[in-house]
Structure formats: C-alpha cells, structure tokens
Amino acid sequence: MVANKRCLLWDWTNTDGPGHAGVPWAMDKVDFKGPFSSVCNWNTWVPPELKGRAPFRPMVHLEAQLSGGDWQNIQNTKENVILFFNEPERNGISAQHAADVWHKQMLPLRQHKGKKLVSPSCASDPKGQAWLADFMHRVQDNPPDLVGVHYYGTDGKAAIDFIQGVHKKYPKHHIMVTEIASTSRNYHDVVDFTVKVANWADNTDWIFEYGFFGCMRKVADNFVSPAAQLMKPDGNFTPLMDKLMHEVPMKHMPKIFITNKSGHPQPFEVHGWNHNLNITVPPHHTSTLSAPDKSSGAIIALHDGHEGEQAEITFNGFGGNDFIDISNIVGAGGNITIQQEHDNSTRKGDPLFMQHLRTAWKKASQQTKAELRGSVFTDSHGDVTRIGPIKDHPKLESFVRSFADGKTYIGVGAWGGSPGNPHDNAQSGAAHGTKNAVITYSDDDATPSPPAHLAHRPAAPQVKLVENVSAAAPHKPADHSGPGIDLHNKSHKQCTYFFYDNYWNGNGTAGANFDHPLKSAKLAPGASTFVSLPASFKGRVQRGTLIPATWAEFQLDASNDHAAHGDISLEQGCDGACTIASTDGTQPRHVGGFEKDIVTHAPQGAKYKRQDGVVVLASTVGNWIAGPNEVAAEWEMKE
C-alpha cells in the first residue's frame, strides 16, 4: 500500500522564466503513481510543467504574496490546501502581525471557499517554536487546519522526537512537515536519516504530508547538505530522489559486513566502494562498508600481496535483485562465503575450500602436481598455502573443479561470446531483492556465525506456550508421550500457529528461518492442543507466517544440559501477547513473556501495517522490510 504523503519540493528555478533556463523536462521523469502526493515551489503560481499530474500546494511565502498578482493566484486557486508564511520569525514578521493577516485575509479562504489552511512553518530552534506558540495562542479562536513544521539536523530520531513534541503541544491538529532534511555531509548518514523519518511518517496517521528539501540544481546555501540534494546540476535526479520516488517503505543503503573469523589480520582489496582503498579486518572482527544502491564491486582477499578468493556484488541489479558470487578466478589462499543478511538460501562459496583443496592435492598424482608447478604453492610440510590465477591455467581449472565445481565461480564463465561453464554461470544467479551483504572469511570454516541478537536465554526444563489476551489460569498439562509443547489460544479469535525450525544452531545462537515452516496448528478461540515436535527442534512458533510478529523461541533438548530453553522475543515485531512456562512442576514456576496488550495504544511511529492488514509493532532490530524501529523499542521497554 502506497503511503501517498510525500510532497515534492520543486524549486522555482526548475521552471523556465525570464533570464534563466529551467529544467521543466525533469518533471516528466517524476513518478506520480508512487508516494509523491503533491508539489510545492514556495510560490503561489503553479509550475506549468506539472500539467495537473498532482495537487499543487500554493504558499503565501511572505508579505509580498498578500497583494498583487500573487494574491490573485491565491484567490483564484482551485487547490484545496494553502500554506501560510515560511519562517516568518527570520523575516521580521511578528506573531501579532501574522495573526492580524490570518484573521483578515487567510480565514475568508476557509470560510468562503473551503480551503484547508496550514500555519506558518517555523524553524525548529527555540526562537521559531516560541513564535509559533505565540501565533497559535493569538488565533486560537480560528486555528489552522494543519500545523507546519521545519526540521534540519543529523539525527533521524531527534527529528521524530521533535515532530512528536509539536503534535503533543497541538494534539488536535495534523502536522504538515513542509521542509525536512539531513544536514550531514555523509551520504550514508543522509540516507539513514531519510529512511528513518520517511518510514515513520508514512505510518503515523497524524502526519498529513512531508517534504524533503529539495529538488534543485544548486545547493541552496552552506547550511543544507550537498549529500541531501534530490537533483543533480544537470537536472537529472540523484539516487536519493529515486529512493523517495519509488520506495515504500524506504530501504536503508546496503551495507557490506566483512567478518574475519581467523586469528590474524586479513587484508582485502576493495573495488567499487570505500574510494577503492584496501582495508585490513582485525582477527575475530567485522568491518562495515557502505554501498550506494545499484553499485557494483568486489572484495578480494590478499595473501602475501597476492590476490585470492573474491566476493563479487551488484546491489539492486536486474529485476531489483542483488547479484552475488564467490570467485576463485584470480586465486585462493583462504575460505570465504557471501550471502544476503538473514537469508541463508542465498549463500555462495565453499566454506571449507582450502581444506578440500589440500585433501585433493594430497591425493593428486605426481603428474598432476608437476603440471601445476608454479600455480599451487605449498609450505615446508607440503600443505597448500595458496593457488595462483585459475583463469591463466586450464589444468588448474580442471583440478579445482574436481573438488569445488558448483560451489564457487571457477572459470571465466559466459563472457565475450563464450557460453562458459553452466556450473559457474549458476553462481551468478539473482538473490532475493536487495539487502545487506554478509562476507565471512576464515582459515577454517567460513560459514557465517549467527547474529548475536538471536541468542536464546535459558528457561525451564520443559516449556508450555500460552497466548494471552488476559491472564491465563494455571494449567495442568495433559499426559503426552514424546517431546512437544502444549499450545493454548487464549484469544477471542481463531488462529493458525506456525512452527519454524532454525536453519542452523550454534553455541547459544541460532539462524532464523523465515520461509519454511515445519508444521502448523489451527486453534479455535479458547482451545488447546499438544503439538508433537522432534526432540531436535530448535526454533519458534508464531501466529501466521508474516512478520512483524511475536516469536515464542524454544528448543526441547539442548546439547549442553538436555533441557528445554525458551523465551518470548519482540525483536522481529509484536502482534500480541504471549507467555512461555515450564510444565514439569518445578517451583517456583518459571514463566516468561507478557500478558498485556501493548499494540493498541502504542505510538503510531512504533506501528506497522502488514500486508494482511493487521497493525503490529515494528521490528526493533530491523529486517528486509525496514531498519530498526527505535520508537517501537522505546515503547516496549516502557511497557
């Protein structure tokens, strides 16, 4: 569902005028079928290039627009929303004078023509907010329909807090954020700010519209950030404008996480990001690179100055998908894998490539070893330390295919008219949409470690799961044979519960499974059932298959103590209350979770409307839908 709340701030210089050539053709490139709901140019006249494709928001910018042709434009406009005064406190206009103009000229537009009126939009500093408070007091008999807001800064959360504060002060009025932007000079920070604010505003019902500053060819002044521009000097749109024009919800700029699981610093060549500067990742450390949308490049491991295994990435390529692979075309000296974050099905690369290489080398004939002299390098014990470029040595390619075919990109592939090897070509298949990339390097196993935030907390020897709308009475479990759980639906509606076994399990951590449920159970309101599960089950149960949702995470037979452990997690959202408890009679009875409804009265900024129409609390850690929702996290901590 498209939010349709974004106002395109279209600079007046984009329109052809006396003494200057605009870029009116750029308006034809705006997608008005997306989230842009209106256009404003800080003037009373409609840009002719708009051609009626979206509502226009005329503005009585300052006093000059209260007479002459500009006022005639306001009097004659067919548009239904009119903005009044832009930062008057910085232009010598008193709140008293503005209130006088409001009563004399602006109110008749509402009384006689049905126009919606927006209050003066003041700066977010104390002077601006004091001016607005004074004005609102003076027009309290006939207040505006919408309160105008400006905000510039570097912290998206601070921006949201400020706007929420304005609404708290004027709770009867919806808010129109007539200007907002990040002032950071770092593009990655600008995107984070924009995504956080836009996604919050799109899901906040009292936000009428909001406009990011600004679509103009030149940076307005030294205060605003060149990194936040929506238009290039030639009139074409910037990547940030493309994101605002097409993404609902907006997505954070992709990141590349490079984890070094080895015990030594590992250098990498970087092509396409980080200004093409090499990086060295310390042992047992993760380095992060920012990657602009639609960018491409490679991360190549270096071994004594020689290029080795490489991760190749194109973000948001054909069909809106990432393309990732692991290639050994230029050599190898360690193990490396790549995948999209939280999506193990996209993993590429052999996590034990070097171990398989050494085993194959030991089994190789003397003739093969002789043929590969100068391409396979060994230490004093005869163990392989690295190999040279495969692309230059057909014999080496055949040798590597004997143990790694289909696991990594080995040959040159389909290129320059050559069909390439089909197993190599398959390595370049599309991933699932566009997400962060996770690269893992190791001298041992390069399988990614599961994220720490999925660690399980100990519970009791056995678990009982209870969905609660109100407090549940103590329950004596039925006598069931075999492992499993007692599942109780204490809500007032029928619900289907889905059980997801983890993709992998580690030492106190687990890799979440988002798309392959093991089984499901449908329960009528107030009903209970026993769900049989394998003793090896380590995962979760949730209502339905969509996220955000409340997760009841548990395992039935932990490897360290052969006991059950569980918890209630809100990291991937909350669609209602849930408790988890032991059933073995242990006292005190160990109960986890909560029984209170924390969704209904949550702040709008904490909520997310799922594709099934259900309003839930958003993820506090982030996922492919959006980044971490700090409003939801703060609300849950409070409740």
Side-chain angles (χ1 to χ4, degrees), residues 42 136 141 151 159 337 342 373 377 494 499 533 586 593:
W42 294 276
M136 293 294 284
D141 55 334
Y151 188 90
T337 59
H342 305 313
R373 186 176 295 114
F377 303 89
Q494 179 176 281
F499 293 78
L533 293 166
T586 302

Side-chain angles (χ1 to χ4, degrees), residues 35-92:
F36 277 121
S37 60
S38 62
V39 173
C40 180
N41 66 352
W42 294 276
N43 280 280
T44 65
W45 48 267
V46 182
E49 60 268 25
L50 181 56
K51 302 174 185 176
R53 288 175 286 193
F56 176 64
R57 303 297 187 222
M59 177 186 289
V60 178
H61 194 103
L62 294 171
E63 289 197 271
Q65 282 71 48
L66 293 169
S67 60
D70 279 320
W71 186 245
Q72 285 301 311
N73 289 338
I74 294 295
Q75 291 274 49
N76 297 331
T77 184
K78 295 180 180 179
E79 306 295 341
N80 68 341
V81 178
I82 299 176
L83 282 67
F84 179 50
F85 283 171
N86 191 78
E87 298 190 350
E89 79 282 6
R90 297 187 176 189
N91 288 280

Side-chain angles (χ1 to χ4, degrees), residues 349-387:
D350 181 358
L352 296 172
F353 180 91
M354 290 301 294
Q355 285 81 344
H356 295 152
L357 169 59
R358 290 171 184 133
T359 299
W361 182 252
K362 289 180 179 178
K363 295 179 179 179
S365 66
Q366 291 303 314
Q367 179 180 349
T368 297
K369 291 181 177 180
E371 291 173 342
L372 297 179
R373 186 176 295 114
S375 294
V376 177
F377 303 89
T378 61
D379 60 17
S380 58
H381 302 289
D383 292 326
V384 179
T385 56
R386 70 176 184 88
I387 58 174

Side-chain angles (χ1 to χ4, degrees), residues 324-345:
I324 57 176
D325 65 67
I326 296 297
S327 171
N328 292 106
I329 292 175
V330 298
N335 301 322
I336 196 168
T337 59
I338 187 172
Q339 69 173 67
Q340 289 183 314
E341 190 176 28
H342 305 313
D343 193 345
N344 308 324
S345 66

